Amino acid sequence: MRIVLVGPPGAGKGTQAAFLAQNLSIPHISTGDLFRANISKQTELGKLAKSYMDKGELVPDEVTIAMAKDRMEQPDAVNGFLLDGFPRNVSQAEALDEMLQHEDMKLDGVLDLEVPETEVVKRIAGRRICRNDSAHVFHVSYKAPKQEGVCDVCGGELYQRDDDSEETVRKRLEVYHTQTEPIIDYYKAQGLVVTISALGKVEEVTGRAMEALKREDDAA
Ligand code: ADP
């Protein structure tokens, strides 16, 4: 299956993507994680990406598309993938379509995670992520780790992302509305979008997502 996850920052895309990818046995490809890996390795791409990410802006299409394409061409992605954070504007969506058409492939569905803006801000402000694995996500009040600052899963150090500050979050939300939301209409025109509520427990949202994707798959 080839799936795109969309939703505002803080919708829980990363958390859901990790569960869904495991359930569907496909790799979870997150452009945000790929950029963060480059930042911690201090690559040229990482340095460039950081200058945009810290402001809450999008990293330029040219480098983002090349990086995403490279990841999608890895052997583990031949039978499908779950894209998280890509595409993030219409020109990236067009580039993805071209890429897929070239390989005679198509998307199976676009899962749109819906969550009210007030909730998004609360989620992001309390979010803490493990340095060892970005799929290990906690929240100071909604999902507190047993020991403050320490990952329950692997004992790694928990930290707050540089771009999770209130000011940057506001900018990310604005960028989401102006640049990313239009891809929902783009994909609606292709009949690919399923919208689910991202409110409630993590497992409940995963359950809703699996149901929705199953319906898409049956309809295909
Ligand atoms: P979130 O979805 O919570 O905002 P991500 O980890 O997906 O977080 O993205 C963090 C930042 O990485 C974005 O604000 C942006 O600067 C950059 N980024 C991630 N994916 C893309 C993309 N497809 N195009 C451009 N920039 C991106």
Side-chain angles (χ1 to χ4, degrees):
M1 266 189 131
R2 290 181 185 82
I3 301 157
V4 169
L5 265 188
V6 278
K13 290 191 299 293
T15 305
Q16 292 304 327
F19 284 112
L20 293 173
Q22 201 172 18
N23 279 342
L24 300 166
S25 305
I26 48 177
H28 165 205
I29 300 182
S30 156
T31 40
D33 285 351
L34 292 171
F35 286 134
R36 281 185 287 278
N38 274 279
I39 292 173
S40 54
K41 282 192 233 138
Q42 300 184 335
T43 66
E44 285 307 311
L45 173 62
K47 279 178 213 158
L48 176 85
K50 187 167 167 51
S51 65
Y52 292 92
M53 290 168 79
D54 283 353
K55 287 186 279 185
E57 290 171 5
L58 295 188
V59 180
D61 284 346
E62 203 183 297
V63 288
T64 304
I65 292 166
M67 178 185 74
K69 185 168 186 285
D70 183 64
R71 179 61 190 88
M72 283 184 268
E73 283 169 358
Q74 299 301 309
D76 65 337
V78 284
N79 293 322
F81 44 70
L82 182 66
L83 293 179
D84 160 14
F86 182 87
R88 228 179 176 93
N89 60 26
V90 172
S91 55
Q92 292 181 10
E94 286 167 350
L96 175 63
D97 272 350
E98 259 175 50
M99 222 182 290
L100 292 170
Q101 266 160 24
H102 191 256
E103 303 293 324
D104 228 1
M105 292 171 180
K106 59 177 190 56
L107 288 176
D108 296 289
V110 174
L111 188 66
D112 168 28
L113 297 182
E114 217 171 36
V115 56
E117 199 141 316
T118 45
E119 177 66 16
V120 159
V121 176
K122 275 192 246 164
R123 286 184 182 188
I124 295 184
R127 173 154 77 179
R128 299 293 181 270
I129 294 168
C130 175
R131 288 225 184 262
N132 295 339
D133 186 340
S134 63
H136 304 162
V137 186
F138 297 84
H139 188 283
V140 290
S141 34
Y142 299 156
K143 192 189 170 199
K146 290 198 188 74
Q147 192 186 337
E148 199 188 316
V150 181
C151 176
D152 287 356
V153 186
C154 70
E157 183 200 353
L158 299 181
Y159 77 108
Q160 181 169 34
R161 271 169 44 177
D162 287 346
D163 62 346
D164 276 354
S165 72
E166 202 178 317
E167 197 192 326
T168 311
V169 168
R170 254 186 257 287
K171 178 68 186 169
R172 282 159 61 200
L173 280 168
E174 182 202 314
V175 168
Y176 179 74
H177 291 312
T178 55
Q179 302 196 44
T180 309
E181 264 179 354
I183 73 170
I184 298 177
D185 282 336
Y186 175 89
Y187 285 128
K188 273 188 182 158
Q190 299 183 17
L192 285 173
V193 179
V194 272
T195 302
I196 61 160
S197 163
L199 289 178
K201 291 206 185 81
V202 170
E203 314 81 77
E204 286 167 6
V205 181
T206 312
R208 259 175 241 149
M210 286 302 291
E211 276 291 305
L213 290 174
K214 199 174 164 302
R215 281 198 304 272
E216 275 292 282
D217 203 27
D218 289 347

